[in-house]
Amino acid sequence: MPVGYRAPLAGRSREAPDRRIRRRTGPRGGREGGAMRQRLAVLAAAALLAVPAVRAQVLFRDVTADAGIGAQTPGRTMAWGDYNNDGYPDFLVGCSKLYKNLGPPDFRFELVPAGLSGAHGVWADIDNDGDLDIYCPSGGDNDHLWINQGPAAGYTFVEGTDFDGDGTADMVDGKQSIAITWGDFDADGLVDVYVGSYERHCTSSVCGDCQINTMWHNLGSGRFEDVTVNWGLDAAERGLVNGGAGQCLGGGGTCTDDSDCAPFGGWCKSGLCARGLNTVDYDNDGDADIFVSDYRLDENMLLENDGSGHFSNVARTAGIDGHCGDGVCGHTLGADWGDMDNDGDLDCYAANLAHWWGSFADGHDISYLWRSENAGVSFIDVRDQSGMRPFTPAFDPENDWEEASAGWADIDNDGDLDIYVTDFYPFRKHWSQLYRNDGDGDGNGVPDFVDVSDPGNGDCPAEPDPINVSVGPTCLKRWYSWTAVWADYDRDGDLDLLTSGSPIFYQCDTPPVPPECDGKDPANRDTWPQPSYIVLFRNETEGAGHWLEVRLVGQSGVNRAALGARLTAHVDLDGDGTAETRMLREVSGGEGYQSSQDWMVQHFGLGPADRVSRLEVRWPAAGAPVSSFSDVPADGLAVVYSDGADLLRGTDPAALGVYEPQVALYPHRDPEPVLDDARALFYRVADDVTIDVTRDDAARTVVIAIRH
């Protein structure tokens, strides 16, 4: 019995008087109304898809001021998360500003006085109580764990790093923490947090005295323990620094701590210099691995999980440590993972800094586009075959390469992943760019990426770029940009971009010199203005394809936010009756430069397909079965539940809160009938809205569909 919209069964009225329930439905129609304003209670679905005959016209518009954020709000790192469970994504800036999405009709944001503090922030439900909490790495002993108090307390936050209540923070280690990623690394149903550490000092002669990253294991009841040594993470990282002996910076010698380096006037480097972290199942084996973006010419790490929470570094053998054959690795700041070619494994874009002098003389590497081979057994850098911006080393200050982060997203709903890459240092020739994935048109096994940052309407300046002049609202070029994260903030079925940067490149040595350059040294570009302001780009692409958005809800041993879950959508792109295309998504616990985060609701562009032929969800918990659903209809929001425990015999759907979503899908385990007396029930909830409940014994699923 396929999943989807159904006509009533013969002999059964659409309106069952003994089961009638009245509910107010959400507004419908229009960008600010409701096709998307259907709130969430739906299991799962997503899709891959065929390239449409006529490509959609990509268009984004800067709506920062109109959305109530403010046109000059500073920010480098952002994280999307629905902290108050109203179905509309809110966002953090660093860990000090929380912007609440006010929803329809205008989808404006309001700065909430939440009392938060910290440098960066990433969301997770650490206690599985159904609302999102925040960890904020801030360096030294200044990290914060903010616990969401839920609806009874108005979704306020309290500090949670003091486990024992003695007034001293327990979840600190004195390290220069800078980035985090969440994951259920031992598959016990509770999310753990891995914290990356950066340098403690940097002078004109010595930088890079970094320490070992830390793994905090979630014990439940708000308590965590440091398992860095026990889980093999200390040995995996320490062995990469001077053969495990440590290194005194500024003079030589081995070390275990700074006291060993006092004779040399330096500091002890015991670990690599992390700048970004990703939790990712790179090898498709069902457990959560970790990718570490390392800076200061340190090699990157790919920490493979053996399934029990013990890790080993396999980056060198996989070919993803960086181009280290010349003895110099890259300055990697942030990375993002996605299946760019829809071949069933995850690829990686790693954003690098390569100074003009370093790339020319010392072998510093530009960014990598690593294509996964054989389900992550090895990776190949294919960036120079992708059509992305080329780079030729030249002894020219304007030839700096300074990318900070990347974000995969299907911007035009055509079924393949596009990517936005940020650029951060003050060099005029380089800016952030949006690349559209046009598929493998030349047959070289690498998708063709086309720069669509310029909409061609005059908003982007013509070459050569004018200086000290602002670009227009639909030009995606930004300077001094650090982060790129995606969410469908206005719930209209396409992904919007939250990033940072400036629409103006300030050059203080060339007239007309703007007032922002007053007091700056024209000969020292490091003193020139480098503002990084929050920018919200609304997606206004016309002619985009069908889509499906999926929210996952973990139950019965699965972490509530389903961090680390993998969704696979099988789609019939050419209409031949065979779902030959598959697309992967994973729910992220943090990614990119210094802790950023996409919306946890997963978005699939479907192109011409009006449904997902089969949607599979692999849940991140030991022994959790894969949930599979057939014929999931497009153009709506679905919430997927990992267990049917809430759907008992005789359950009235009124108690499930599933009135507005298009489809809600539950697995069922009970051998007894989940529905009380039939395979299909119909509940009239409004004159034009009916709830459809069906049971599919072959697939062991219960489907609740909303029909308008």
Side-chain angles (χ1 to χ4, degrees), residues 589-633:
E591 70 271 348
Y593 165 79
Q594 292 187 190
S595 301
S596 302
Q597 194 171 31
D598 294 327
W599 192 26
M600 294 178 189
V601 171
Q602 300 302 297
H603 176 95
F604 298 88
L606 305 180
D610 65 357
R611 63 189 53 243
V612 174
S613 298
R614 186 170 80 256
L615 175 71
E616 297 171 347
V617 181
R618 191 190 68 197
W619 299 96
V626 174
S627 299
S628 180
F629 300 88
S630 301
D631 296 329
V632 182

Side-chain angles (χ1 to χ4, degrees), residues 76 353 355-356 397-402 423-431 478-482 504-509 524-531:
R76 284 191 176 186
L353 163 69
H355 288 299
W356 59 273
E398 285 294 334
N399 208 43
D400 241 34
W401 182 283
E402 57 279 327
D423 200 275
F424 66 98
Y425 265 8
F427 291 91
R428 177 181 61 84
K429 291 182 179 180
H430 295 167
W431 48 77
R478 286 297 183 273
W479 291 265
Y480 328 119
S481 182
W482 297 88
I504 303 174
F505 178 79
Y506 293 100
Q507 188 156 336
C508 298
D509 63 353
N524 183 0
R525 70 173 60 240
D526 288 339
T527 69
W528 299 354
Q530 301 175 39

